[in-house]
Amino acid sequence: MASVSTPLTFDVKSIRKDFPILNRKVNEKPLVYFDNAATSQTPQQVIDVIVEYYSNYNANIHRGVHALSQEATDAYEQARIKLQKHFNIPNAYQTLFTSGTTHGINIVASGYAEILKEGDEVVVSALEHHSNIVPWQMLCEKTGAVLKVIPMTDNGTLDMDAFEQLLSDKTKLVFVNHVSNALGTVNPIEFIIEKTHAVGGAVLVDGAQAAPHINADVQALDVDFYVVSAHKMCGPTGVGMLYGKEKWLEQLPPYQGGGEMIDQVTFEKTTYAGLPHKFEAGTPNICGGIAFGAALDYMNAIGFENIAAYEHELLEYATEKLKAIDGLRIYGESKEKTAVISFNIEGIHPYDIGTILDKLGVAVRTGHHCAQPIMDFYKIPGTVRASFAFYNTKEEIDVLVAGVERAKNMLS
Ligand SMILES: *Cc1c(COP(=O)(O)O)cnc(C)c1O
């Protein structure tokens, strides 16, 4: 990603006009929103789709013969096809709607409880979000499978030599994020997938943090499962996607029982519906799914290459400016990283810096970022994390840097 340059056509001023929230003030200062890795902001085009749904065709899907139900069903299924095309998924029925990344991971982890046996091994990376650790620990407790961890190195990347040592014919599943939410590291998932397949295992990639920046192609990656959340990529909360290879989705048992996931129900025996309905019990987040499709349309109109190039420029600019502050350390200095900067100032608690920045209208995240093992590795309680999106500007970064300098002067 390092060599791409920002296209001249990237017009951040007009892009910002699409995001009404960017006009608001916080503590009487213009909002500077740098918490994009926690959730992204929503453009008017997506807000309009949500308003349109509830104003005009709110209805339950699939079951109704009436007009509204048909319209809602069509829009929801069209959104599924947008997701399918975007991630280059072979079939719409392998494109499952979920409530988010956490839900997608839990569908797979709970399904594997029926597949794994005592002594099987599963491998996780040291750079994971808690939602890609805890479900697997629960799975190992249930099945007697053994959890192995790919260690990380000081610059915030995974140790690939150690990873290869962990693999064996006992390895059934490897789960790793595409991009670390705490550090921004882009992990070498192509290599991980290739090596895992060579020993007969499957790979689940948590794409929550990659999907807003990198247009992942699940077939080119040959990945077994890929999960994302809409709210990190300009969509609403409470909706996401799980992609799975057909052979795995056929093999995994349903996650929840209920309406929509059945073929025939009698009290003697119930047979399950085919894909994708087997994994979509109950009334889904219909409006959310439709809005997720609209968010993809919005981002694709700008272009993921343009987004990545511009954000990289923001990352380089901010890295240089922050590094110039005496006593400031940046955690995670992988060559391949997205626009996330995790940092601390010597002797100052990250929470205190975050509080002062908030007074200046700057929203950052402080704490362990749901990735406590990374903080333990660095022996710190947490970091200040500034994460950028394509609607942020260099002027906003200047506000952040001035704020960090002020916080440092006040607190040290
Ligand atoms: C945000 C995030 C999650 C959790 O996503 P939810 O939308 O809260 O389910 C998981 N993994 C990574 C890397 C994330 O950034």
PDB file of all heavy atoms in Angstrom, residues 26 34 69 71 73 113 144 151 163 212 245 251 278 294 299 339 342 353 364 374 381 388 395-396 405 412:
ATOM      1  N   VAL A  26     -18.711  19.716  19.578  1.00  0.00           N
ATOM      2  CA  VAL A  26     -18.584  18.976  20.830  1.00  0.00           C
ATOM      3  C   VAL A  26     -17.807  19.879  21.778  1.00  0.00           C
ATOM      4  O   VAL A  26     -16.722  20.343  21.423  1.00  0.00           O
ATOM      5  CB  VAL A  26     -17.843  17.641  20.624  1.00  0.00           C
ATOM      6  CG1 VAL A  26     -17.449  17.027  21.961  1.00  0.00           C
ATOM      7  CG2 VAL A  26     -18.698  16.673  19.825  1.00  0.00           C
ATOM      8  N   PHE A  34     -12.111  10.841  15.319  1.00  0.00           N
ATOM      9  CA  PHE A  34     -11.006   9.910  15.055  1.00  0.00           C
ATOM     10  C   PHE A  34     -11.225   8.586  15.791  1.00  0.00           C
ATOM     11  O   PHE A  34     -10.283   7.995  16.309  1.00  0.00           O
ATOM     12  CB  PHE A  34      -9.670  10.530  15.496  1.00  0.00           C
ATOM     13  CG  PHE A  34      -9.146  11.597  14.576  1.00  0.00           C
ATOM     14  CD1 PHE A  34      -8.207  12.531  15.034  1.00  0.00           C
ATOM     15  CD2 PHE A  34      -9.551  11.677  13.252  1.00  0.00           C
ATOM     16  CE1 PHE A  34      -7.693  13.508  14.194  1.00  0.00           C
ATOM     17  CE2 PHE A  34      -9.054  12.662  12.400  1.00  0.00           C
ATOM     18  CZ  PHE A  34      -8.121  13.580  12.878  1.00  0.00           C
ATOM     19  N   SER A  69     -44.436  -6.473   1.679  1.00  0.00           N
ATOM     20  CA  SER A  69     -43.535  -7.573   2.003  1.00  0.00           C
ATOM     21  C   SER A  69     -42.677  -7.943   0.793  1.00  0.00           C
ATOM     22  O   SER A  69     -41.489  -8.247   0.930  1.00  0.00           O
ATOM     23  CB  SER A  69     -44.348  -8.784   2.478  1.00  0.00           C
ATOM     24  OG  SER A  69     -43.494  -9.877   2.687  1.00  0.00           O
ATOM     25  N   GLU A  71     -41.782  -5.888  -1.626  1.00  0.00           N
ATOM     26  CA  GLU A  71     -40.784  -4.817  -1.833  1.00  0.00           C
ATOM     27  C   GLU A  71     -39.633  -4.949  -0.840  1.00  0.00           C
ATOM     28  O   GLU A  71     -38.466  -4.797  -1.195  1.00  0.00           O
ATOM     29  CB  GLU A  71     -41.447  -3.437  -1.681  1.00  0.00           C
ATOM     30  CG  GLU A  71     -42.288  -3.054  -2.884  1.00  0.00           C
ATOM     31  CD  GLU A  71     -43.032  -1.737  -2.668  1.00  0.00           C
ATOM     32  OE1 GLU A  71     -42.525  -0.856  -1.934  1.00  0.00           O
ATOM     33  OE2 GLU A  71     -44.136  -1.595  -3.225  1.00  0.00           O
ATOM     34  N   THR A  73     -38.695  -7.680   0.725  1.00  0.00           N
ATOM     35  CA  THR A  73     -37.931  -8.880   0.394  1.00  0.00           C
ATOM     36  C   THR A  73     -36.992  -8.607  -0.785  1.00  0.00           C
ATOM     37  O   THR A  73     -35.812  -8.966  -0.751  1.00  0.00           O
ATOM     38  CB  THR A  73     -38.881 -10.049   0.033  1.00  0.00           C
ATOM     39  OG1 THR A  73     -39.774 -10.258   1.127  1.00  0.00           O
ATOM     40  CG2 THR A  73     -38.101 -11.324  -0.243  1.00  0.00           C
ATOM     41  N   ALA A 113     -18.263 -26.885  17.453  1.00  0.00           N
ATOM     42  CA  ALA A 113     -18.388 -27.705  18.666  1.00  0.00           C
ATOM     43  C   ALA A 113     -18.847 -29.115  18.304  1.00  0.00           C
ATOM     44  O   ALA A 113     -18.563 -30.077  19.020  1.00  0.00           O
ATOM     45  CB  ALA A 113     -19.363 -27.053  19.645  1.00  0.00           C
ATOM     46  N   GLY A 144     -12.588 -30.062  24.248  1.00  0.00           N
ATOM     47  CA  GLY A 144     -11.278 -30.615  24.593  1.00  0.00           C
ATOM     48  C   GLY A 144     -10.229 -30.339  23.524  1.00  0.00           C
ATOM     49  O   GLY A 144      -9.122 -30.882  23.569  1.00  0.00           O
ATOM     50  N   PRO A 151       2.494 -15.937  18.240  1.00  0.00           N
ATOM     51  CA  PRO A 151       3.007 -14.791  19.007  1.00  0.00           C
ATOM     52  C   PRO A 151       3.204 -13.547  18.138  1.00  0.00           C
ATOM     53  O   PRO A 151       3.312 -13.643  16.919  1.00  0.00           O
ATOM     54  CB  PRO A 151       4.346 -15.291  19.541  1.00  0.00           C
ATOM     55  CG  PRO A 151       4.725 -16.442  18.691  1.00  0.00           C
ATOM     56  CD  PRO A 151       3.497 -16.989  18.055  1.00  0.00           C
ATOM     57  N   PHE A 163       4.437 -19.290  13.672  1.00  0.00           N
ATOM     58  CA  PHE A 163       3.156 -19.791  13.162  1.00  0.00           C
ATOM     59  C   PHE A 163       3.357 -21.138  12.454  1.00  0.00           C
ATOM     60  O   PHE A 163       2.625 -22.102  12.708  1.00  0.00           O
ATOM     61  CB  PHE A 163       2.532 -18.773  12.205  1.00  0.00           C
ATOM     62  CG  PHE A 163       1.396 -19.322  11.383  1.00  0.00           C
ATOM     63  CD1 PHE A 163       0.222 -19.738  11.988  1.00  0.00           C
ATOM     64  CD2 PHE A 163       1.507 -19.425  10.004  1.00  0.00           C
ATOM     65  CE1 PHE A 163      -0.827 -20.253  11.231  1.00  0.00           C
ATOM     66  CE2 PHE A 163       0.460 -19.943   9.244  1.00  0.00           C
ATOM     67  CZ  PHE A 163      -0.705 -20.359   9.855  1.00  0.00           C
ATOM     68  N   PRO A 212     -13.434  -1.807   5.726  1.00  0.00           N
ATOM     69  CA  PRO A 212     -13.604  -0.387   5.412  1.00  0.00           C
ATOM     70  C   PRO A 212     -12.482   0.197   4.546  1.00  0.00           C
ATOM     71  O   PRO A 212     -12.606   1.320   4.071  1.00  0.00           O
ATOM     72  CB  PRO A 212     -13.574   0.290   6.795  1.00  0.00           C
ATOM     73  CG  PRO A 212     -13.723  -0.801   7.791  1.00  0.00           C
ATOM     74  CD  PRO A 212     -13.241  -2.046   7.157  1.00  0.00           C
ATOM     75  N   LYS A 245     -17.301 -21.057   2.756  1.00  0.00           N
ATOM     76  CA  LYS A 245     -17.251 -22.002   1.639  1.00  0.00           C
ATOM     77  C   LYS A 245     -18.444 -22.945   1.763  1.00  0.00           C
ATOM     78  O   LYS A 245     -18.825 -23.327   2.878  1.00  0.00           O
ATOM     79  CB  LYS A 245     -15.947 -22.800   1.667  1.00  0.00           C
ATOM     80  CG  LYS A 245     -14.774 -22.029   1.085  1.00  0.00           C
ATOM     81  CD  LYS A 245     -13.565 -22.932   0.925  1.00  0.00           C
ATOM     82  CE  LYS A 245     -12.402 -22.120   0.351  1.00  0.00           C
ATOM     83  NZ  LYS A 245     -11.120 -22.827   0.473  1.00  0.00           N
ATOM     84  N   GLN A 251     -21.890 -28.379   6.179  1.00  0.00           N
ATOM     85  CA  GLN A 251     -21.506 -29.270   7.280  1.00  0.00           C
ATOM     86  C   GLN A 251     -21.880 -28.723   8.659  1.00  0.00           C
ATOM     87  O   GLN A 251     -22.223 -29.475   9.558  1.00  0.00           O
ATOM     88  CB  GLN A 251     -19.990 -29.463   7.204  1.00  0.00           C
ATOM     89  CG  GLN A 251     -19.487 -30.739   7.841  1.00  0.00           C
ATOM     90  CD  GLN A 251     -17.964 -30.839   7.698  1.00  0.00           C
ATOM     91  OE1 GLN A 251     -17.388 -30.363   6.716  1.00  0.00           O
ATOM     92  NE2 GLN A 251     -17.322 -31.422   8.676  1.00  0.00           N
ATOM     93  N   LYS A 278     -30.860 -21.504   6.695  1.00  0.00           N
ATOM     94  CA  LYS A 278     -30.461 -22.352   7.822  1.00  0.00           C
ATOM     95  C   LYS A 278     -29.788 -21.540   8.945  1.00  0.00           C
ATOM     96  O   LYS A 278     -29.912 -21.879  10.119  1.00  0.00           O
ATOM     97  CB  LYS A 278     -29.497 -23.407   7.255  1.00  0.00           C
ATOM     98  CG  LYS A 278     -28.863 -24.339   8.229  1.00  0.00           C
ATOM     99  CD  LYS A 278     -28.002 -25.344   7.424  1.00  0.00           C
ATOM    100  CE  LYS A 278     -26.827 -25.842   8.222  1.00  0.00           C
ATOM    101  NZ  LYS A 278     -25.923 -26.686   7.419  1.00  0.00           N
ATOM    102  N   ALA A 294     -26.531  -0.126   0.682  1.00  0.00           N
ATOM    103  CA  ALA A 294     -26.388   1.283   0.279  1.00  0.00           C
ATOM    104  C   ALA A 294     -25.017   1.823   0.687  1.00  0.00           C
ATOM    105  O   ALA A 294     -24.406   2.624  -0.038  1.00  0.00           O
ATOM    106  CB  ALA A 294     -27.496   2.116   0.899  1.00  0.00           C
ATOM    107  N   MET A 299     -19.467   3.619  -0.793  1.00  0.00           N
ATOM    108  CA  MET A 299     -17.997   3.499  -0.741  1.00  0.00           C
ATOM    109  C   MET A 299     -17.425   3.102  -2.101  1.00  0.00           C
ATOM    110  O   MET A 299     -16.368   3.581  -2.500  1.00  0.00           O
ATOM    111  CB  MET A 299     -17.582   2.501   0.336  1.00  0.00           C
ATOM    112  CG  MET A 299     -17.909   3.011   1.738  1.00  0.00           C
ATOM    113  SD  MET A 299     -17.212   1.994   3.039  1.00  0.00           S
ATOM    114  CE  MET A 299     -15.492   2.516   3.016  1.00  0.00           C
ATOM    115  N   ALA A 339      -4.977   3.089   8.594  1.00  0.00           N
ATOM    116  CA  ALA A 339      -4.819   4.407   9.204  1.00  0.00           C
ATOM    117  C   ALA A 339      -5.257   4.415  10.675  1.00  0.00           C
ATOM    118  O   ALA A 339      -6.228   5.061  11.056  1.00  0.00           O
ATOM    119  CB  ALA A 339      -5.597   5.444   8.399  1.00  0.00           C
ATOM    120  N   SER A 342      -1.923   3.962  17.449  1.00  0.00           N
ATOM    121  CA  SER A 342      -2.060   3.684  18.868  1.00  0.00           C
ATOM    122  C   SER A 342      -0.820   4.243  19.543  1.00  0.00           C
ATOM    123  O   SER A 342       0.289   3.920  19.137  1.00  0.00           O
ATOM    124  CB  SER A 342      -2.100   2.161  19.061  1.00  0.00           C
ATOM    125  OG  SER A 342      -3.255   1.744  19.720  1.00  0.00           O
ATOM    126  N   ILE A 353      -5.260  11.658  28.616  1.00  0.00           N
ATOM    127  CA  ILE A 353      -5.072  12.327  27.312  1.00  0.00           C
ATOM    128  C   ILE A 353      -6.405  12.359  26.568  1.00  0.00           C
ATOM    129  O   ILE A 353      -6.811  13.398  26.018  1.00  0.00           O
ATOM    130  CB  ILE A 353      -4.000  11.590  26.472  1.00  0.00           C
ATOM    131  CG1 ILE A 353      -2.654  11.621  27.204  1.00  0.00           C
ATOM    132  CG2 ILE A 353      -3.876  12.218  25.076  1.00  0.00           C
ATOM    133  CD1 ILE A 353      -1.563  10.812  26.536  1.00  0.00           C
ATOM    134  N   VAL A 364     -11.236  10.300  20.373  1.00  0.00           N
ATOM    135  CA  VAL A 364     -10.318   9.167  20.179  1.00  0.00           C
ATOM    136  C   VAL A 364     -10.774   8.080  21.144  1.00  0.00           C
ATOM    137  O   VAL A 364     -11.639   8.327  21.988  1.00  0.00           O
ATOM    138  CB  VAL A 364      -8.845   9.526  20.497  1.00  0.00           C
ATOM    139  CG1 VAL A 364      -8.301  10.524  19.495  1.00  0.00           C
ATOM    140  CG2 VAL A 364      -8.703  10.031  21.924  1.00  0.00           C
ATOM    141  N   ILE A 374      -2.708  -7.805  23.661  1.00  0.00           N
ATOM    142  CA  ILE A 374      -1.706  -6.920  23.040  1.00  0.00           C
ATOM    143  C   ILE A 374      -1.156  -5.961  24.085  1.00  0.00           C
ATOM    144  O   ILE A 374       0.056  -5.704  24.142  1.00  0.00           O
ATOM    145  CB  ILE A 374      -2.323  -6.117  21.866  1.00  0.00           C
ATOM    146  CG1 ILE A 374      -2.847  -7.066  20.785  1.00  0.00           C
ATOM    147  CG2 ILE A 374      -1.314  -5.125  21.300  1.00  0.00           C
ATOM    148  CD1 ILE A 374      -3.486  -6.359  19.606  1.00  0.00           C
ATOM    149  N   PRO A 381      -1.394  -0.397  30.318  1.00  0.00           N
ATOM    150  CA  PRO A 381      -2.827  -0.574  30.605  1.00  0.00           C
ATOM    151  C   PRO A 381      -3.690  -0.367  29.366  1.00  0.00           C
ATOM    152  O   PRO A 381      -4.809  -0.849  29.279  1.00  0.00           O
ATOM    153  CB  PRO A 381      -3.108   0.520  31.645  1.00  0.00           C
ATOM    154  CG  PRO A 381      -2.077   1.562  31.406  1.00  0.00           C
ATOM    155  CD  PRO A 381      -0.850   0.845  30.903  1.00  0.00           C
ATOM    156  N   PHE A 388      -8.397   6.869  11.484  1.00  0.00           N
ATOM    157  CA  PHE A 388      -8.861   7.824  10.472  1.00  0.00           C
ATOM    158  C   PHE A 388      -9.746   7.163   9.425  1.00  0.00           C
ATOM    159  O   PHE A 388      -9.608   5.972   9.141  1.00  0.00           O
ATOM    160  CB  PHE A 388      -7.661   8.478   9.776  1.00  0.00           C
ATOM    161  CG  PHE A 388      -6.629   9.000  10.742  1.00  0.00           C
ATOM    162  CD1 PHE A 388      -5.302   8.582  10.677  1.00  0.00           C
ATOM    163  CD2 PHE A 388      -6.996   9.899  11.739  1.00  0.00           C
ATOM    164  CE1 PHE A 388      -4.361   9.041  11.583  1.00  0.00           C
ATOM    165  CE2 PHE A 388      -6.051  10.367  12.648  1.00  0.00           C
ATOM    166  CZ  PHE A 388      -4.724   9.940  12.561  1.00  0.00           C
ATOM    167  N   GLU A 395      -6.026  18.965   8.367  1.00  0.00           N
ATOM    168  CA  GLU A 395      -6.307  20.044   9.334  1.00  0.00           C
ATOM    169  C   GLU A 395      -6.807  19.444  10.650  1.00  0.00           C
ATOM    170  O   GLU A 395      -6.450  19.910  11.732  1.00  0.00           O
ATOM    171  CB  GLU A 395      -7.362  21.016   8.782  1.00  0.00           C
ATOM    172  CG  GLU A 395      -6.900  21.876   7.609  1.00  0.00           C
ATOM    173  CD  GLU A 395      -6.774  21.100   6.286  1.00  0.00           C
ATOM    174  OE1 GLU A 395      -7.521  20.114   6.102  1.00  0.00           O
ATOM    175  OE2 GLU A 395      -5.922  21.476   5.454  1.00  0.00           O
ATOM    176  N   GLU A 396      -7.602  18.405  10.555  1.00  0.00           N
ATOM    177  CA  GLU A 396      -8.092  17.754  11.778  1.00  0.00           C
ATOM    178  C   GLU A 396      -6.929  17.087  12.524  1.00  0.00           C
ATOM    179  O   GLU A 396      -6.894  17.068  13.752  1.00  0.00           O
ATOM    180  CB  GLU A 396      -9.155  16.709  11.438  1.00  0.00           C
ATOM    181  CG  GLU A 396     -10.472  17.307  10.973  1.00  0.00           C
ATOM    182  CD  GLU A 396     -11.505  16.221  10.677  1.00  0.00           C
ATOM    183  OE1 GLU A 396     -11.185  15.280   9.923  1.00  0.00           O
ATOM    184  OE2 GLU A 396     -12.611  16.299  11.199  1.00  0.00           O
ATOM    185  N   GLU A 405      -0.160  17.752  22.406  1.00  0.00           N
ATOM    186  CA  GLU A 405       0.912  18.568  22.990  1.00  0.00           C
ATOM    187  C   GLU A 405       0.413  19.316  24.228  1.00  0.00           C
ATOM    188  O   GLU A 405       1.087  19.364  25.252  1.00  0.00           O
ATOM    189  CB  GLU A 405       1.450  19.562  21.949  1.00  0.00           C
ATOM    190  CG  GLU A 405       2.639  18.964  21.219  1.00  0.00           C
ATOM    191  CD  GLU A 405       3.045  19.715  19.958  1.00  0.00           C
ATOM    192  OE1 GLU A 405       2.274  20.571  19.489  1.00  0.00           O
ATOM    193  OE2 GLU A 405       4.125  19.407  19.445  1.00  0.00           O
ATOM    194  N   SER A 412       2.248  16.605  32.535  1.00  0.00           N
ATOM    195  CA  SER A 412       3.572  16.134  32.957  1.00  0.00           C
ATOM    196  C   SER A 412       4.335  17.189  33.755  1.00  0.00           C
ATOM    197  O   SER A 412       3.883  18.301  33.918  1.00  0.00           O
ATOM    198  CB  SER A 412       4.390  15.688  31.746  1.00  0.00           C
ATOM    199  OG  SER A 412       4.505  16.725  30.819  1.00  0.00           O
TER     200      SER A 412
END
